[in-house]
Amino acid sequence: MYDIYSNSKNDHWRFKLGRSGSRNLITIGLNPSAATKEKSDTTIAKVERAARQAGFDGFVMLNLYPVRSTDFNALPNEANAEALAENLAQIEAVVAAEITPVIWAAWGKNILARKFFIAAGKELLIRLEKHNTSWQQFGPLTQSGHPRHPSRLHYAWEFTPFDAKHYAQKISS
């Protein structure tokens, strides 16, 4: 079903999932849930629909942390360093492969649930700056100022620019 797929550790870690196109929307969520190369889940279905609606013919779903969990609260308090390092490298490779990368910041307010989510987010914002990325958010930010997760979107909303530099400063303080 999906031609873009990278995983490890008996599929306990998922780095990327998507469908190739000539114009891909890169989406960065929090952590992967149940979707696999063969089957979608609610988040992936919403990402794919929002991408098509906005004129993208492909998408790549990435996450701040690659360890699967249907409940982010079930993740450990400390990140697996190997998983995190591999994930950041794979994200940067996906972004670097695009001529004009468009990235949907889509991790939601739950980025605050683990310090390693915040650290990964800040590291990505720094690493990806050199790739001339266009950061986007879908709909308004949450009340606490975070880009909404795809599970919390309304299809009537649209993509608008996301100020990644300002956001990085905000979560650093």
Side-chain angles (χ1 to χ4, degrees):
M1 183 174 194
Y2 297 105
D3 64 327
I4 299 171
Y5 195 76
S6 177
N7 66 326
S8 184
K9 302 292 182 192
N10 296 324
D11 209 28
H12 185 64
W13 301 352
R14 189 188 79 211
F15 300 106
K16 58 188 173 183
L17 179 146
R19 187 166 287 122
S20 298
S22 59
R23 185 167 182 251
N24 295 316
L25 176 64
I26 299 167
T27 305
I28 302 178
L30 197 62
N31 73 289
S33 184
T36 66
K37 187 175 185 170
E38 293 81 27
K39 70 177 178 94
S40 185
D41 65 12
T42 303
T43 298
I44 297 301
K46 287 188 172 198
V47 167
E48 195 164 10
R49 180 173 171 188
R52 274 195 320 270
Q53 212 173 283
F56 294 90
D57 62 350
F59 77 97
V60 183
M61 182 75 208
L62 308 164
N63 290 282
L64 294 176
Y65 192 60
V67 176
R68 287 182 184 276
S69 180
T70 54
D71 179 5
F72 65 89
N73 286 310
L75 293 170
N77 287 323
E78 298 297 320
N80 178 306
E82 179 188 355
L84 193 55
E86 176 67 19
N87 190 55
L88 293 172
Q90 288 213 27
I91 291 172
E92 187 169 5
V94 167
V95 172
E98 294 290 325
I99 295 169
T100 53
V102 177
I103 302 175
W104 174 8
W107 45 79
K109 68 180 181 178
N110 294 328
I111 189 174
L112 303 175
R114 296 289 185 274
K115 288 181 181 177
F116 61 80
F117 288 150
I118 295 169
K122 288 192 285 191
E123 176 69 19
L124 277 176
L125 292 170
I126 292 165
R127 281 187 184 205
L128 301 181
E129 195 171 357
K130 66 185 171 207
H131 297 289
N132 196 29
T133 56
S134 169
W135 284 91
Q136 300 287 305
Q137 65 190 50
F138 196 84
L141 296 175
T142 65
Q143 284 185 336
S144 52
H146 301 283
R148 292 181 186 274
H149 186 272
S151 65
R152 306 286 185 254
L153 63 79
H154 296 285
Y155 292 115
W157 292 341
E158 296 180 353
F159 283 103
T160 57
F162 174 68
D163 190 340
K165 286 183 184 179
H166 180 291
Y167 183 78
Q169 291 170 347
K170 177 187 165 190
I171 61 173
S172 294
S173 50

